[in-house]
Amino acid sequence: MADVLDMNYPFTGRWLVQNSPANRVPSHGTRLFATSYAIDFVPVDDSGRSAPFTFGSLLRPEPPENFVGFGRSVLSPVAGTVVAFHDTERDHLSYRGMSSIGYALTQRRRAEAGWLALAGNHVMIRCDGGVVVLCHLQRRSTRVRIGQHVEIGEEIGLRGNSGNSTEPHVHVQAIDSVDIEHAAAVPITFNGTMPSNGGIVTV
């Protein structure tokens, strides 16, 4: 196994943990695009909800602006150099209830479309131990450019709902190369630990 890359959380506030490698590897059920140790964080309010859930939430997609975390800061979890970014993908509707079933059925099509269809808007930061990748950022929200040095806690963009995302969240993974097609996954921790699925992280 590769050495573990330890980092800070890339946010402040309250976040629900999903698809954690603390529960299974590969964490997302696939090794595609070096996601074996990837993890997702969904911003939630004090009651643990990402957005109010109404009868309409059961029946139809919702605007991402309805969710508490949309448009809030995503921070660099490491000190390093920006080696890639993409920020032109649109933020699409969010899917809960019945609409999430239809969205799930199109998962294979997005995977076949390649990395951008899955990651959406993203930033890659090279640091000691690998390259940290943060995905599903808001369109045109990137605050950094290739070659720029960033410090821990520096804002790199805003939370969005681009790529393969049912609701606004941040996907974090580490890889050993910028070449995502051929990179290997690097295990990660946050301040020395890995939170489990269903837990709430407060920063």
Side-chain angles (χ1 to χ4, degrees), residues 31-51:
R31 300 184 189 277
L32 185 67
F33 299 119
T35 56
S36 294
Y37 305 106
I39 189 170
D40 294 326
F41 296 101
V42 180
V44 295
D45 60 19
D46 289 341
S47 65
R49 297 185 305 176
S50 59

PDB file of all heavy atoms in Angstrom, residues 31-51:
ATOM      1  N   ARG A  31     -12.606   1.140  -8.896  1.00  0.00           N
ATOM      2  CA  ARG A  31     -11.249   1.672  -8.879  1.00  0.00           C
ATOM      3  C   ARG A  31     -11.015   2.624 -10.045  1.00  0.00           C
ATOM      4  O   ARG A  31      -9.897   3.115 -10.243  1.00  0.00           O
ATOM      5  CB  ARG A  31     -10.237   0.529  -8.911  1.00  0.00           C
ATOM      6  CG  ARG A  31     -10.384  -0.409  -7.709  1.00  0.00           C
ATOM      7  CD  ARG A  31      -9.327  -1.501  -7.686  1.00  0.00           C
ATOM      8  NE  ARG A  31      -9.644  -2.482  -6.642  1.00  0.00           N
ATOM      9  CZ  ARG A  31      -9.331  -2.324  -5.366  1.00  0.00           C
ATOM     10  NH1 ARG A  31      -8.709  -1.231  -4.962  1.00  0.00           N
ATOM     11  NH2 ARG A  31      -9.644  -3.260  -4.469  1.00  0.00           N
ATOM     12  N   LEU A  32     -12.065   2.896 -10.804  1.00  0.00           N
ATOM     13  CA  LEU A  32     -11.964   3.781 -11.958  1.00  0.00           C
ATOM     14  C   LEU A  32     -11.448   5.148 -11.548  1.00  0.00           C
ATOM     15  O   LEU A  32     -11.887   5.713 -10.541  1.00  0.00           O
ATOM     16  CB  LEU A  32     -13.344   3.919 -12.614  1.00  0.00           C
ATOM     17  CG  LEU A  32     -13.432   4.714 -13.916  1.00  0.00           C
ATOM     18  CD1 LEU A  32     -12.691   3.976 -15.038  1.00  0.00           C
ATOM     19  CD2 LEU A  32     -14.895   4.920 -14.303  1.00  0.00           C
ATOM     20  N   PHE A  33     -10.502   5.678 -12.309  1.00  0.00           N
ATOM     21  CA  PHE A  33      -9.900   6.989 -12.066  1.00  0.00           C
ATOM     22  C   PHE A  33      -9.327   7.106 -10.650  1.00  0.00           C
ATOM     23  O   PHE A  33      -9.425   8.161 -10.016  1.00  0.00           O
ATOM     24  CB  PHE A  33     -10.910   8.104 -12.336  1.00  0.00           C
ATOM     25  CG  PHE A  33     -11.404   8.140 -13.757  1.00  0.00           C
ATOM     26  CD1 PHE A  33     -12.748   7.968 -14.040  1.00  0.00           C
ATOM     27  CD2 PHE A  33     -10.516   8.322 -14.810  1.00  0.00           C
ATOM     28  CE1 PHE A  33     -13.200   7.984 -15.356  1.00  0.00           C
ATOM     29  CE2 PHE A  33     -10.969   8.340 -16.126  1.00  0.00           C
ATOM     30  CZ  PHE A  33     -12.320   8.172 -16.404  1.00  0.00           C
ATOM     31  N   ALA A  34      -8.740   6.013 -10.181  1.00  0.00           N
ATOM     32  CA  ALA A  34      -7.998   6.003  -8.913  1.00  0.00           C
ATOM     33  C   ALA A  34      -8.829   6.489  -7.733  1.00  0.00           C
ATOM     34  O   ALA A  34      -8.341   7.207  -6.862  1.00  0.00           O
ATOM     35  CB  ALA A  34      -6.718   6.845  -9.051  1.00  0.00           C
ATOM     36  N   THR A  35     -10.086   6.055  -7.678  1.00  0.00           N
ATOM     37  CA  THR A  35     -10.991   6.510  -6.620  1.00  0.00           C
ATOM     38  C   THR A  35     -11.083   5.543  -5.437  1.00  0.00           C
ATOM     39  O   THR A  35     -11.971   5.682  -4.599  1.00  0.00           O
ATOM     40  CB  THR A  35     -12.407   6.723  -7.186  1.00  0.00           C
ATOM     41  OG1 THR A  35     -12.855   5.511  -7.819  1.00  0.00           O
ATOM     42  CG2 THR A  35     -12.432   7.865  -8.183  1.00  0.00           C
ATOM     43  N   SER A  36     -10.155   4.595  -5.343  1.00  0.00           N
ATOM     44  CA  SER A  36     -10.259   3.563  -4.305  1.00  0.00           C
ATOM     45  C   SER A  36     -10.405   4.125  -2.901  1.00  0.00           C
ATOM     46  O   SER A  36     -11.143   3.583  -2.080  1.00  0.00           O
ATOM     47  CB  SER A  36      -9.028   2.649  -4.346  1.00  0.00           C
ATOM     48  OG  SER A  36      -9.004   1.908  -5.539  1.00  0.00           O
ATOM     49  N   TYR A  37      -9.692   5.223  -2.598  1.00  0.00           N
ATOM     50  CA  TYR A  37      -9.692   5.782  -1.248  1.00  0.00           C
ATOM     51  C   TYR A  37     -10.399   7.141  -1.188  1.00  0.00           C
ATOM     52  O   TYR A  37     -10.217   7.902  -0.234  1.00  0.00           O
ATOM     53  CB  TYR A  37      -8.257   5.931  -0.734  1.00  0.00           C
ATOM     54  CG  TYR A  37      -7.474   4.648  -0.775  1.00  0.00           C
ATOM     55  CD1 TYR A  37      -6.479   4.449  -1.735  1.00  0.00           C
ATOM     56  CD2 TYR A  37      -7.719   3.632   0.142  1.00  0.00           C
ATOM     57  CE1 TYR A  37      -5.755   3.269  -1.781  1.00  0.00           C
ATOM     58  CE2 TYR A  37      -7.014   2.443   0.103  1.00  0.00           C
ATOM     59  CZ  TYR A  37      -6.030   2.265  -0.866  1.00  0.00           C
ATOM     60  OH  TYR A  37      -5.315   1.091  -0.910  1.00  0.00           O
ATOM     61  N   ALA A  38     -11.206   7.440  -2.185  1.00  0.00           N
ATOM     62  CA  ALA A  38     -11.911   8.725  -2.227  1.00  0.00           C
ATOM     63  C   ALA A  38     -12.989   8.783  -1.151  1.00  0.00           C
ATOM     64  O   ALA A  38     -13.457   7.754  -0.646  1.00  0.00           O
ATOM     65  CB  ALA A  38     -12.537   8.927  -3.604  1.00  0.00           C
ATOM     66  N   ILE A  39     -13.399   9.996  -0.818  1.00  0.00           N
ATOM     67  CA  ILE A  39     -14.443  10.198   0.187  1.00  0.00           C
ATOM     68  C   ILE A  39     -15.286  11.398  -0.205  1.00  0.00           C
ATOM     69  O   ILE A  39     -14.818  12.314  -0.893  1.00  0.00           O
ATOM     70  CB  ILE A  39     -13.812  10.413   1.589  1.00  0.00           C
ATOM     71  CG1 ILE A  39     -14.883  10.408   2.684  1.00  0.00           C
ATOM     72  CG2 ILE A  39     -12.962  11.682   1.622  1.00  0.00           C
ATOM     73  CD1 ILE A  39     -14.305  10.363   4.095  1.00  0.00           C
ATOM     74  N   ASP A  40     -16.561  11.390   0.204  1.00  0.00           N
ATOM     75  CA  ASP A  40     -17.478  12.489  -0.079  1.00  0.00           C
ATOM     76  C   ASP A  40     -17.939  13.134   1.219  1.00  0.00           C
ATOM     77  O   ASP A  40     -18.195  12.439   2.217  1.00  0.00           O
ATOM     78  CB  ASP A  40     -18.714  11.985  -0.838  1.00  0.00           C
ATOM     79  CG  ASP A  40     -18.378  11.483  -2.232  1.00  0.00           C
ATOM     80  OD1 ASP A  40     -17.458  12.053  -2.858  1.00  0.00           O
ATOM     81  OD2 ASP A  40     -19.020  10.521  -2.685  1.00  0.00           O
ATOM     82  N   PHE A  41     -18.083  14.462   1.173  1.00  0.00           N
ATOM     83  CA  PHE A  41     -18.596  15.218   2.311  1.00  0.00           C
ATOM     84  C   PHE A  41     -19.759  16.084   1.851  1.00  0.00           C
ATOM     85  O   PHE A  41     -19.628  16.864   0.902  1.00  0.00           O
ATOM     86  CB  PHE A  41     -17.511  16.122   2.895  1.00  0.00           C
ATOM     87  CG  PHE A  41     -16.345  15.388   3.480  1.00  0.00           C
ATOM     88  CD1 PHE A  41     -15.159  15.268   2.770  1.00  0.00           C
ATOM     89  CD2 PHE A  41     -16.417  14.830   4.746  1.00  0.00           C
ATOM     90  CE1 PHE A  41     -14.067  14.607   3.307  1.00  0.00           C
ATOM     91  CE2 PHE A  41     -15.331  14.150   5.300  1.00  0.00           C
ATOM     92  CZ  PHE A  41     -14.155  14.048   4.581  1.00  0.00           C
ATOM     93  N   VAL A  42     -20.906  15.940   2.526  1.00  0.00           N
ATOM     94  CA  VAL A  42     -22.119  16.693   2.184  1.00  0.00           C
ATOM     95  C   VAL A  42     -22.368  17.739   3.273  1.00  0.00           C
ATOM     96  O   VAL A  42     -22.519  17.378   4.446  1.00  0.00           O
ATOM     97  CB  VAL A  42     -23.333  15.756   2.080  1.00  0.00           C
ATOM     98  CG1 VAL A  42     -24.591  16.547   1.735  1.00  0.00           C
ATOM     99  CG2 VAL A  42     -23.092  14.667   1.034  1.00  0.00           C
ATOM    100  N   PRO A  43     -22.414  19.023   2.924  1.00  0.00           N
ATOM    101  CA  PRO A  43     -22.671  20.035   3.947  1.00  0.00           C
ATOM    102  C   PRO A  43     -24.101  19.943   4.477  1.00  0.00           C
ATOM    103  O   PRO A  43     -25.049  19.771   3.706  1.00  0.00           O
ATOM    104  CB  PRO A  43     -22.442  21.358   3.206  1.00  0.00           C
ATOM    105  CG  PRO A  43     -22.601  21.030   1.760  1.00  0.00           C
ATOM    106  CD  PRO A  43     -22.201  19.597   1.592  1.00  0.00           C
ATOM    107  N   VAL A  44     -24.238  20.039   5.803  1.00  0.00           N
ATOM    108  CA  VAL A  44     -25.553  19.908   6.436  1.00  0.00           C
ATOM    109  C   VAL A  44     -25.750  21.025   7.465  1.00  0.00           C
ATOM    110  O   VAL A  44     -24.792  21.656   7.922  1.00  0.00           O
ATOM    111  CB  VAL A  44     -25.726  18.530   7.128  1.00  0.00           C
ATOM    112  CG1 VAL A  44     -25.716  17.417   6.088  1.00  0.00           C
ATOM    113  CG2 VAL A  44     -24.635  18.299   8.171  1.00  0.00           C
ATOM    114  N   ASP A  45     -27.012  21.226   7.860  1.00  0.00           N
ATOM    115  CA  ASP A  45     -27.326  22.239   8.854  1.00  0.00           C
ATOM    116  C   ASP A  45     -27.263  21.637  10.257  1.00  0.00           C
ATOM    117  O   ASP A  45     -26.843  20.482  10.445  1.00  0.00           O
ATOM    118  CB  ASP A  45     -28.695  22.876   8.570  1.00  0.00           C
ATOM    119  CG  ASP A  45     -29.844  21.880   8.597  1.00  0.00           C
ATOM    120  OD1 ASP A  45     -29.684  20.772   9.168  1.00  0.00           O
ATOM    121  OD2 ASP A  45     -30.917  22.195   8.041  1.00  0.00           O
ATOM    122  N   ASP A  46     -27.692  22.401  11.258  1.00  0.00           N
ATOM    123  CA  ASP A  46     -27.594  21.932  12.647  1.00  0.00           C
ATOM    124  C   ASP A  46     -28.438  20.697  12.926  1.00  0.00           C
ATOM    125  O   ASP A  46     -28.178  19.964  13.881  1.00  0.00           O
ATOM    126  CB  ASP A  46     -28.008  23.059  13.600  1.00  0.00           C
ATOM    127  CG  ASP A  46     -26.980  24.178  13.647  1.00  0.00           C
ATOM    128  OD1 ASP A  46     -25.827  23.929  13.238  1.00  0.00           O
ATOM    129  OD2 ASP A  46     -27.324  25.288  14.084  1.00  0.00           O
ATOM    130  N   SER A  47     -29.451  20.457  12.082  1.00  0.00           N
ATOM    131  CA  SER A  47     -30.292  19.275  12.260  1.00  0.00           C
ATOM    132  C   SER A  47     -29.787  18.084  11.453  1.00  0.00           C
ATOM    133  O   SER A  47     -30.404  17.017  11.453  1.00  0.00           O
ATOM    134  CB  SER A  47     -31.745  19.596  11.859  1.00  0.00           C
ATOM    135  OG  SER A  47     -31.829  19.886  10.474  1.00  0.00           O
ATOM    136  N   GLY A  48     -28.667  18.272  10.745  1.00  0.00           N
ATOM    137  CA  GLY A  48     -28.095  17.192   9.957  1.00  0.00           C
ATOM    138  C   GLY A  48     -28.675  17.038   8.570  1.00  0.00           C
ATOM    139  O   GLY A  48     -28.434  16.043   7.898  1.00  0.00           O
ATOM    140  N   ARG A  49     -29.436  18.041   8.104  1.00  0.00           N
ATOM    141  CA  ARG A  49     -30.048  17.975   6.776  1.00  0.00           C
ATOM    142  C   ARG A  49     -29.281  18.846   5.781  1.00  0.00           C
ATOM    143  O   ARG A  49     -28.838  19.943   6.115  1.00  0.00           O
ATOM    144  CB  ARG A  49     -31.499  18.442   6.828  1.00  0.00           C
ATOM    145  CG  ARG A  49     -32.414  17.586   7.702  1.00  0.00           C
ATOM    146  CD  ARG A  49     -33.853  18.051   7.611  1.00  0.00           C
ATOM    147  NE  ARG A  49     -33.987  19.472   7.947  1.00  0.00           N
ATOM    148  CZ  ARG A  49     -35.111  20.159   7.885  1.00  0.00           C
ATOM    149  NH1 ARG A  49     -36.225  19.559   7.485  1.00  0.00           N
ATOM    150  NH2 ARG A  49     -35.159  21.435   8.213  1.00  0.00           N
ATOM    151  N   SER A  50     -29.183  18.367   4.561  1.00  0.00           N
ATOM    152  CA  SER A  50     -28.521  19.141   3.517  1.00  0.00           C
ATOM    153  C   SER A  50     -29.457  20.174   2.895  1.00  0.00           C
ATOM    154  O   SER A  50     -29.003  21.149   2.293  1.00  0.00           O
ATOM    155  CB  SER A  50     -27.989  18.219   2.424  1.00  0.00           C
ATOM    156  OG  SER A  50     -29.043  17.457   1.844  1.00  0.00           O
ATOM    157  N   ALA A  51     -30.770  19.958   3.054  1.00  0.00           N
ATOM    158  CA  ALA A  51     -31.789  20.880   2.545  1.00  0.00           C
ATOM    159  C   ALA A  51     -33.138  20.465   3.116  1.00  0.00           C
ATOM    160  O   ALA A  51     -33.320  19.297   3.485  1.00  0.00           O
ATOM    161  CB  ALA A  51     -31.848  20.851   1.014  1.00  0.00           C
TER     162      ALA A  51
END
